Amino acid sequence: MATIPLSDRSFSRIARLMHGSVGLSYGPNKKSLMHSRLAGRLQRLGLRGFDDYVDLLESADDGGEFQMAVDLLTTNETYFFREPAHFALLQAELQRTRPQQLAVWSAASSFGDEAYSTAMLLADLEMMGCIGPDWSVLGTDISERVLQSAVQGIYPADRLRDVTPQRLKRHCLRGEGDSEGLVQMRETLRERVRFGQLNLCAAIEPLGPFDVVFLRNVLLYFDAKTKSAVVDRVLAQLRPGGLFFLGTAEGRVPCKTPLTVLAPGAFRKETRP
């Protein structure tokens, strides 16, 4: 079956809908990406073209298709201990401060790789006596589909390629038989991580305060104005003096909240107003 073309008109309709509803920004240079992510969905639904698809997305009873479109447009590759320098900095900070209580927020958690990576690190630091036992990790994302997968905590083994053998043994179960090639987080780790759906472009009810916040590799979906608003909205949940991480390629996003640069993509929320 031939691929259904995406006209400029249909692209603009979808781009406006995504920006108005969830803050996602798609300039003309993202047209091919949008087409590649959504074309197969149209074929599976038996639709004649993208205008029909937008009509479905805008309908009052879309059968969950709008959420599916958001999932398809925002899901990217992720893996455990991505950008390891951030985890090394976090470990050094916690070994220095030795907190007895600790709350961490993975604000764009996707499939949960980042949240569980953090939980592995914290569990190991607790075992070493560097932090107290009262710690928790919250992972949030706009996609229900990825969150359902995150709760299960099952991953292809390649996604854990940067996890040390010792950590794999302590925190993971290797699949056998039909599950060979898969890895599941042990229950003792999964019970320390909570997941919930959250739209970062809408008002955020009090979730924290948190001592550490990760907001990595999600701002690329937003325009400049939305980026600044999202960062300030997220930083309102972070304690003064807390650590804040962005993707290293995202640079420093202009925001009203005072931040001190610690390393590429790593910041401390200043204690002054």
Side-chain angles (χ1 to χ4, degrees):
M1 182 183 295
T3 301
I4 300 172
L6 174 60
S7 68
D8 289 343
R9 177 178 179 274
S10 295
F11 170 75
S12 295
R13 288 184 68 193
I14 297 174
R16 285 195 301 270
L17 177 61
M18 290 295 159
H19 188 270
S21 300
V22 291
L24 302 179
S25 181
Y26 291 93
N29 62 321
K30 298 291 182 67
K31 182 180 176 182
S32 60
L33 171 66
M34 182 182 290
H35 182 262
S36 66
R37 294 288 181 92
L38 297 179
R41 188 65 187 162
L42 270 68
Q43 292 178 343
R44 284 190 289 276
L45 293 171
L47 298 177
R48 294 172 299 175
F50 273 91
D51 273 343
D52 292 338
Y53 189 61
V54 187
D55 290 341
L56 173 61
L57 296 181
E58 292 179 336
S59 65
D61 183 15
D62 69 346
E65 191 58 36
F66 179 80
Q67 182 65 58
M68 175 61 73
V70 171
D71 291 353
L72 292 171
L73 289 171
T74 59
T75 302
N76 279 322
E77 180 198 11
T78 183
Y79 51 91
F80 279 65
F81 289 96
R82 185 176 183 177
E83 302 193 71
H86 286 171
F87 291 99
L89 189 154
L90 175 59
Q91 177 172 340
E93 174 77 5
L94 296 179
Q95 287 177 323
R96 180 181 68 83
T97 59
R98 306 178 79 84
Q100 294 305 297
Q101 295 179 313
L102 189 69
V104 180
W105 181 21
S106 173
S109 62
S110 188
F111 288 97
D113 306 53
E114 179 179 84
Y116 285 123
S117 297
T118 306
M120 286 183 183
L121 174 60
L122 299 185
D124 289 349
L125 289 174
E126 179 191 350
M127 181 180 65
M128 295 162 57
C130 296
I131 65 173
D134 187 3
W135 60 266
S136 64
V137 179
L138 172 66
T140 62
D141 200 276
I142 195 172
S143 168
E144 287 183 288
R145 182 175 63 90
V146 300
L147 291 171
Q148 290 170 0
S149 177
V151 169
Q152 295 176 356
I154 300 174
Y155 301 92
D158 182 63
R159 294 259 286 276
L160 289 88
R161 56 188 177 271
D162 293 331
V163 180
T164 65
Q166 295 82 4
R167 275 190 174 141
L168 283 172
K169 185 175 182 180
R170 280 195 297 271
H171 303 301
C172 304
L173 298 169
R174 290 187 177 275
E176 299 178 351
D178 293 341
S179 298
E180 187 173 356
L182 297 176
V183 174
Q184 183 172 31
M185 303 299 104
R186 291 185 184 273
E187 185 176 359
T188 51
L189 196 72
R190 283 185 281 126
E191 65 187 9
R192 302 300 292 267
V193 184
R194 297 180 295 118
F195 292 98
Q197 189 178 29
L198 183 69
N199 180 0
L200 294 171
C201 292
I204 300 174
E205 295 295 326
L207 296 174
F210 295 98
D211 303 288
V212 181
V213 172
F214 289 90
L215 184 69
R216 303 192 301 177
N217 306 305
V218 68
L219 296 178
L220 59 101
Y221 294 112
F222 305 132
D223 58 28
K225 182 179 179 180
T226 306
K227 285 180 183 179
S228 297
V230 166
V231 169
D232 280 320
R233 194 174 292 125
V234 168
L235 285 172
Q237 307 285 332
L238 180 64
R239 294 181 190 276
L243 298 181
F244 179 56
F245 295 98
L246 296 174
T248 53
E250 294 173 300
R252 179 168 182 170
V253 175
C255 62
K256 297 178 181 177
T257 309
L259 297 172
T260 299
V261 179
L262 303 178
F267 309 87
R268 188 185 306 280
K269 182 177 178 180
E270 295 183 7
T271 55
R272 64 182 175 85

